[in-house]
Amino acid sequence: MSMNNTLLRAAGSLVGIAALTLAMGCSDQASRTRKHMIKACMSNDVSEENCKCAIDKTLEKHPIEEMMAIEDKRKAPPPEIFEDVANAALACVRKNGL
């Protein structure tokens, strides 16, 4: 599988997991959510280091409140979110290597 396909699959997983679980508000739940996101990302053959990096970069641009609104169906996922996640993952791979 090409790196781009792997990154796109990881991006899709991250967005899906984030939208599904970021509605949790307290720090313990946020910590568990982050762990689930990392696990989902890693299931697409992306290293733990790169998954952590990509999640952090994505959450800088798409805060938890936005993800909660998406989860509650009060807001549609912005079209750029998949590209943002893929770009974050690609930046992390470039920085850290595979």
Side-chain angles (χ1 to χ4, degrees):
M1 179 179 306
S2 75
M3 184 170 74
N4 285 341
N5 286 343
T6 298
L7 291 175
L8 287 174
R9 281 187 25 220
S13 292
L14 285 175
V15 171
I17 295 295
L20 193 61
T21 59
L22 278 177
M24 302 171 189
C26 81
S27 62
D28 286 344
Q29 290 171 325
S31 176
R32 279 183 270 164
T33 296
R34 189 170 183 275
K35 288 177 186 175
H36 291 142
M37 292 172 69
I38 292 167
K39 185 177 179 180
C41 176
M42 290 174 60
S43 72
N44 290 292
D45 299 322
V46 179
S47 73
E48 182 175 4
E49 179 181 27
N50 286 325
C51 288
K52 287 178 179 178
C53 175
I55 290 163
D56 291 343
K57 286 182 179 295
T58 300
L59 291 176
E60 287 173 8
K61 192 165 185 179
H62 298 279
I64 289 175
E65 294 79 14
E66 177 181 0
M67 302 308 279
M68 288 169 53
I70 293 168
E71 166 62 17
D72 293 343
K73 298 187 177 156
R74 291 179 283 130
K75 178 180 179 180
E80 71 275 6
I81 196 166
F82 295 100
E83 184 177 346
D84 292 342
V85 172
N87 286 338
L90 185 57
C92 293
V93 166
R94 285 182 179 148
K95 175 184 170 192
N96 302 322
L98 291 174

